């Protein structure tokens, strides 16, 4: 599996290193537009994102969410030693390297060549070489029933237009009895302001409005797309893909954790959930 080189950013970057949109809209955005936009955004944003969050993510660690839940304590994936594991939306792949260190046979998948280029650098730096695959979760280049476990730790699912098709792909590549665990933005995040300050906790849009959030460039083309689903939508998508939903977790903020991620903060995390974790399995 060849590792793509980091592409040069083709988006205007703000002073903080992240892409600077020319406009923001709430409008429909299908699969092709979402894939194209988010690949460009993450390619351009990878250096800034990892400079900001890489220390918390670690090079060989499995962090499920900004609240600080880690697989070493949560054991949501069960025993991974000797298991074939697929990570969806791996970013710089710290979770996959952690899984490899625990004895798993891992494939780390991401849409962004920029993220995978950094993952390759960290593979070399840590001496933990996990295979890296650039692909879209909606069309996994893996054979059916070829993995024992699949996971996505705040990976690509919130950016996927057709999450039902993506989950069906995950179910396809899982072996009977296989487990799938994914952490996503909690749906309650959608109607609230994008602020870590609890004083800003007020409803500013409808929880039931599924219209995507779209950032655009100077030509009106989408450069970032995020899709919203209610809790019920997630449950129906899991069940519709032929998976069994064993648990829904809403992690509380880890005591003593001071790290802030965008609107995720200790003060806000004490009041409202920021993450939803779907714990699923494919029937044996």
């Amino acid at each position: 599996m060849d590792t793509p080189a980091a592409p040069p950013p083709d988006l205007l970057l703000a002073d903080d290193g992240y892409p600077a949109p020319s406009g923001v809209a709430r409008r429909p955005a299908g699969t092709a537009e979402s894939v194209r936009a988010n690949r460009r955004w993450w390619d351009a944003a990878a250096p800034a994102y990892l400079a900001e969050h890489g220390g918390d993510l670690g090079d060989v660690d499995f962090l499920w969410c900004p609240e600080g839940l880690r697989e070493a304590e949560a054991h949501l994936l069960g025993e991974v030693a000797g298991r074939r594991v697929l990570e969806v939306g791996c970013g710089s792949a710290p979770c996959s390297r952690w899984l490899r260190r625990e004895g798993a046979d891992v494939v780390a998948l991401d849409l962004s060549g920029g993220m995978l280029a950094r993952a390759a650098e960290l593979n070399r730096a840590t001496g933990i070489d996990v295979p890296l695959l650039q692909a879209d979760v909606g069309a996994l280049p893996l054979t059916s029933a070829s993995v024992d476990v699949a996971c996505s730790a705040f990976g690509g699912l919130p950016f996927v237009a057709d999450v039902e098709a993506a989950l069906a792909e995950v179910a396809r590549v899982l072996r009977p009895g296989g487990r799938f665990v994914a952490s996503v933005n909690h749906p309650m995040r959608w109607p609230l302001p994008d602020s870590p300050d609890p004083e800003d906790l007020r409803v500013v849009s409808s929880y039931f409005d599924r219209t995507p959030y779209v950032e655009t460039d100077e030509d009106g083309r989408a450069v970032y797309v995020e899709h919203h689903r209610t809790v019920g939508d997630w449950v129906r998508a899991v069940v519709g893909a032929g998976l069994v939903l064993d648990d829904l977790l809403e992690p509380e903020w880890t005591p003593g954790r001071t790290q802030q991620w965008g609107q995720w903060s200790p003060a806000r995390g004490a009041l409202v959930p920021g993450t939803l974790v779907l714990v699923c399995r494919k029937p044996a």
Side-chain angles (χ1 to χ4, degrees):
M1 298 178 183
D2 295 330
T3 303
D10 65 344
L11 297 175
L12 178 66
L13 302 181
D15 291 341
D16 61 2
Y18 287 95
S22 295
V24 174
R26 293 287 294 275
R27 64 165 175 79
T31 294
E33 185 177 34
S34 296
V35 168
R36 182 172 58 252
N38 288 320
R39 180 186 289 117
R40 289 179 68 204
W41 195 92
W42 283 105
D43 283 349
Y49 179 85
L50 294 172
E52 182 179 6
H53 299 300
D56 195 34
L57 290 167
D59 296 340
V60 187
D61 199 0
F62 199 127
L63 179 68
W64 276 111
C65 56
E67 287 82 1
L69 182 69
R70 283 179 156 81
E71 178 60 15
E73 291 79 39
H75 305 294
L76 299 180
L77 300 178
E79 179 59 52
V80 296
R83 301 291 183 90
R84 177 75 162 166
V85 181
L86 168 67
E87 184 185 4
V88 173
C90 68
S92 60
C95 298
S96 285
R97 283 187 290 277
W98 183 89
L99 289 163
R100 183 69 189 92
R101 191 182 64 186
E102 295 296 308
D105 176 17
V106 188
V107 173
L109 178 147
D110 203 278
L111 184 66
S112 166
M115 280 293 189
L116 291 176
R118 180 56 179 156
E121 293 173 2
L122 289 173
N123 278 355
R124 292 188 289 269
T126 60
I128 303 175
D129 191 19
V130 298
L132 305 173
L133 181 61
Q134 185 174 16
D136 174 18
V137 66
L140 294 173
L142 300 172
T143 58
S144 298
S146 60
V147 301
D148 301 299
V149 178
C151 60
S152 183
F154 253 67
L157 294 183
F159 306 106
V160 173
D162 189 350
V163 78
E164 293 81 6
L167 292 180
E169 273 290 272
V170 171
R172 179 185 65 80
V173 302
L174 276 176
R175 295 185 176 116
R179 185 175 299 195
F180 173 56
V181 182
S183 57
V184 299
N185 302 333
H186 196 287
M188 274 303 299
R189 172 180 177 266
W190 190 254
L192 302 174
D194 192 9
S195 167
D197 189 346
E199 295 298 322
D200 292 333
L201 284 177
R202 63 190 187 280
V203 174
V204 295
S205 63
S206 172
Y207 172 82
F208 302 103
D209 182 1
R210 279 84 160 180
T211 308
Y213 169 86
V214 181
E215 295 180 358
T216 56
D217 63 15
E218 63 276 6
D219 297 318
R221 296 174 301 181
V223 296
Y224 176 96
V225 181
E226 187 173 331
H227 297 269
H228 167 63
R229 292 158 187 104
T230 67
V231 174
D233 291 340
W234 280 113
V235 172
R236 284 185 288 275
V238 167
V239 174
L243 299 170
V244 175
L245 185 65
D246 285 330
D247 203 357
L248 280 174
L249 303 179
E250 297 166 297
E252 296 186 44
W253 201 268
T254 300
R257 178 173 167 81
T258 60
Q259 182 72 33
Q260 181 174 305
W261 285 56
Q263 73 180 63
W264 290 267
S265 69
R268 179 166 167 146
L271 300 175
V272 294
T275 299
L276 185 69
V277 184
L278 308 158
V279 182
C280 321
R281 60 183 164 86
K282 183 173 180 177

